DNA sequence: CCTTGTGTAGAAAGCGCTTGCTGCGACGCG
DNA sequence: CGCGTCGCAGCAAGCGCTTTCTACACAAGG
């Protein structure tokens, strides 16, 4: 039924071993023999059996990429960049590897299950993207899993994620969410804002906490009051931004600025403000985070912090493939860049 | 070093066969034995070797999803929906399957290579999303590949893609791009527009052609002139929309509407119009296609055709898993819904 | 009491590939 | 001219799992 290595060997009049070596190209084979084998492969339309070869060689060419939400460009951009570097077809790298993008939906259990599944497949590498959940039990479970993966020879890279315990040997490229949050709020303070609402992400995520910490640090540094009622938690989506903004407006109609957890949330905030008859930035300024492609198309264009997602992803991909050295200590912090655009301005009555 | 089935068997005092059967649950095993085995698995922290089991059972639990651009929510949404149905962790389905999202970048070669890679992995199913390339040679090559995959027991589903030759046995869920394009243009004609620019996608894509055909059909049906100079081809991205719009404006400053290949392009068009000092929809109306989440956040909100991406993806996923019957004839056409919003209005001087 | 079933576990034969080791000409050097 | 080398190909032993077929024990039926 299906063509096997042996069939190719028979047709090329060589042993299966030789065919294998031609295909893997890691052993001297005479040019004439190689050619004969290659022709046989072609004639028979032979396709290597991945599982069999993975079993025999005890390695596989699968690379796992864990994302929280594949429909979110934040992850899509990183995943695309990672994939282009791990040498899927068309990537720069040589060997063809299959990138497995796994959508955890932000669920800790799924994250763990996917890690097990990847361990089961003996993945060559695993890249975890996005913020982690701040649950100790889960963090421990993940760390344990990562340790096992590393022990089994899988390279583990965290991209846009806080470092795992050092003994996991996982490389981490972390975004400076705290610093970014601080820059944003300082920008608003410099413009004269004093009553700023903050729409945070899900409480248990590290990303949420770090960005919020940055915001508060900026407030504290400039002696600006920090009313807890001006912070609302929600999800990282538009709807959440919309609702949270209405809630903030209800609590404090005199807000002059809204700081959103990310650009998507900011868009929802903008919509809520407009629907409330408020102009941006004349009545209320809005800032986002991430600088996703659509942010520049918002009207007015969103002031935000640009995170080099593609660059970070590419780097993570290269490290995962062992084509770039890990940063010293296994940890690199990637800063964002403040992008001041039309959605922020001085408050009406300073 | 690594724990194998045999180790578990030894610890549970049973044969490897029994352990395998407990793990796969497709053979009667006495409750007491099962429990003993399960405990041993737990104690030893055993993880099944995927390749080995795939080899022995001649099946794998990998499901491939091919997308043109993973950073584009159009694909992200479909991929997410597919994945949630194929029973990855947390999905509704029982067995745990690994979804492999492959990013072709729109390249025909990569598409083919990924198909080979999936064939090599003996994937359980493959879902191809997005428009196909209209190159005969490539179409033939893909059809051949699909035929082989199907022959090898891989289920093949096309989602948002024109049907493959009937003898490939691939199920197709096709978007009615033609009809959608027609609705959009008819809407504009009904508003009184007569001079409409069209920003098409890459020339060789079926999606591009079908949408354009719909546009032209509407023009023809209503006796509206169709100046070839009013159609510009570009890529499916914002930049392209921006530049094409400027070009259209140069060619015909009297345009009263711009029809974009998709929402992303439409956003670029809006930006170009604004930068040219034109108001939307007062001076120029704009329509997109797809109704991606951000389209409602454009200012003014985009008139577009809503494609049920998540629903289509979910259905494709179920069909791929054999949990839903294929549509009669293996082909289903999915219509879009015209969403009239703020970006379209009557032309200034009718 | 022996036969026929029924339910459960084991033995063993692969699945298709990789790779360490062996084998065998040919070549070069003393 | 003989022997050590080198280059290349083959042998065969697995890799870790699934699954068919066989084996056994016990229950029920004639």
């Amino acid at each position: 039924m299906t063509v096997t290595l042996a069939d190719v060997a028979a047709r090329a009049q060589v042993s299966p071993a030789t065919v294998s070596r031609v295909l893997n190209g890691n052993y001297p084979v005479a040019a004439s023999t190689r050619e004969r084998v290659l022709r046989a492969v072609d004639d028979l339309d032979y396709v290597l059996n991945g599982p069999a070869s993975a079993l025999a060689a005890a390695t596989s060419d699968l690379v796992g990429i864990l994302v929280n939400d594949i429909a979110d460009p934040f992850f899509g951009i990183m995943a695309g960049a990672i994939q282009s570097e791990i040498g899927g077809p068309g990537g720069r790298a040589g060997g063809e590897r299959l990138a497995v993008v796994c959508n955890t939906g932000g669920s800790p259990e799924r994250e763990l299950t996917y890690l097990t599944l990847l361990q089961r497949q003996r993945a060559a590498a695993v890249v975890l993207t996005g913020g982690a959940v701040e649950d100790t039990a889960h963090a421990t479970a993940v760390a344990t899993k990562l340790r096992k993966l590393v022990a089994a020879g899988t390279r583990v890279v965290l991209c846009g994620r806080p470092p795992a315990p050092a003994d996991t040997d996982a490389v981490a490229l972390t975004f400076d969410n705290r610093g970014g949050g601080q820059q944003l709020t300082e920008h608003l303070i410099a413009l004269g804002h004093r009553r700023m609402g903050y729409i945070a992400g899900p409480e248990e995520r590290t990303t949420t906490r770090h960005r919020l910490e940055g915001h508060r640090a900026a407030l504290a540094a400039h002696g600006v009051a920090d009313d807890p009622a001006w912070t609302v938690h929600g999800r990282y989506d538009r709807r959440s931004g919309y609702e949270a903004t209405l809630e903030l407006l209800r609590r404090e109609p005199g807000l002059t600025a809204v700081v959103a957890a990310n650009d998507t949330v900011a868009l929802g905030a903008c919509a809520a403000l407009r629907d409330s008859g408020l102009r941006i930035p004349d009545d209320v300024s809005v800032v986002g985070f991430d600088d996703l492609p659509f942010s520049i198309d918002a009207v007015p264009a969103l002031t935000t912090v640009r995170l080099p997602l593609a660059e970070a992803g590419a780097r993570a991909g290269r490290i995962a493939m062992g084509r770039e050295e890990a940063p010293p200590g296994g940890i690199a912090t990637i800063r964002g860049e403040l992008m001041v655009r039309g959605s922020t301005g001085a408050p009406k009555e300073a």
Side-chain angles (χ1 to χ4, degrees), chain A:
Chain A
M1 176 66 231
T2 48
V3 183
T4 72
L5 237 211
D7 298 330
V8 176
R11 186 169 231 271
Q13 318 232 54
V14 296
S15 73
T18 303
V19 177
S20 171
R21 298 203 257 247
V22 167
L23 262 25
N24 291 297
N26 48 14
Y27 192 86
V29 174
S32 64
T33 313
R34 155 175 296 113
E35 205 179 319
R36 200 142 36 89
V37 169
L38 256 18
R39 185 173 9 266
V41 167
D42 232 61
D43 289 351
L44 262 36
D45 216 11
Y46 171 69
V47 175
L48 190 70
N49 183 316
S53 117
L55 172 58
T59 61
S60 98
D61 48 7
L62 250 48
V63 174
I65 302 177
L66 265 64
V67 301
N68 283 345
D69 181 5
I70 200 177
D72 185 338
F74 177 84
F75 293 101
I77 292 169
M78 278 196 286
I82 295 168
Q83 187 162 35
S84 74
E85 288 291 340
I86 61 154
R92 324 196 191 320
E96 275 158 6
R97 295 195 141 59
L98 239 194
V100 179
V101 178
C102 307
N103 197 196
T104 65
S107 146
E109 302 82 52
R110 266 188 255 180
E111 182 166 283
L112 238 22
T113 315
Y114 269 126
L115 286 175
T116 302
L117 239 33
L118 288 166
Q119 181 185 2
R120 173 178 301 182
Q121 297 298 332
R122 306 299 188 251
V126 172
V127 181
L128 290 93
T129 67
V133 163
E134 304 223 276
D135 177 82
T136 315
H138 179 248
T140 309
V142 169
T144 306
K145 208 49 154 176
L146 296 187
R147 233 171 263 125
K148 272 180 209 142
L149 282 165
V150 170
T154 298
R155 231 178 300 238
V156 176
V157 181
L158 309 178
C159 181
R161 203 178 220 259
D167 68 328
T168 52
D169 272 337
V171 175
L173 302 182
T174 308
F175 291 132
D176 181 20
N177 286 310
R178 202 167 181 293
Q182 190 162 354
Q183 281 182 73
L184 242 14
T185 299
E186 278 178 345
H187 162 65
L188 289 172
I189 292 174
L191 285 173
H193 293 273
R194 290 300 176 269
R195 291 190 305 276
M196 294 168 266
Y198 191 95
I199 307 176
E203 213 138 2
E204 70 284 2
R205 308 235 129 225
T206 53
T207 308
T208 301
R209 205 192 76 221
H210 294 151
R211 292 183 182 179
L212 184 49
E213 279 176 8
H215 170 69
R216 294 203 168 134
L219 292 180
H222 295 270
V224 178
D226 177 16
D227 189 329
W230 297 353
T231 295
V232 175
H233 280 272
R235 280 154 293 119
Y236 278 125
D237 63 21
R238 174 180 191 278
R239 177 94 185 269
S240 192
Y242 189 95
E243 289 164 359
T245 302
L246 295 183
E247 173 63 25
L248 282 173
L249 250 24
R250 209 171 298 131
R251 294 188 190 170
E252 173 54 64
L255 284 183
T256 63
V258 172
V259 181
N262 71 14
D263 288 353
T264 310
V265 171
L267 246 42
C270 288
L273 291 171
R274 272 195 306 275
D275 290 358
S276 304
L278 296 168
R279 284 163 310 157
I280 306 168
D282 313 86
D283 297 316
V284 179
S285 287
V286 176
V287 301
F289 206 115
D290 295 343
D291 194 23
L292 296 185
F294 58 70
S295 304
I296 202 172
D297 279 314
V299 179
L302 218 51
T303 290
T304 186
V305 165
R306 160 180 279 275
L307 248 28
L309 300 175
E311 293 82 346
R315 188 164 168 206
R318 284 193 302 270
I319 294 174
M321 299 313 299
R323 291 195 291 114
E324 176 173 326
E325 248 182 286
I331 299 180
T333 300
I334 297 175
R335 301 203 181 293
E337 182 191 354
L338 180 66
M339 308 296 287
V340 176
R341 297 203 271 246
S343 71
T344 49
K348 226 189 217 155
E349 353 151 68

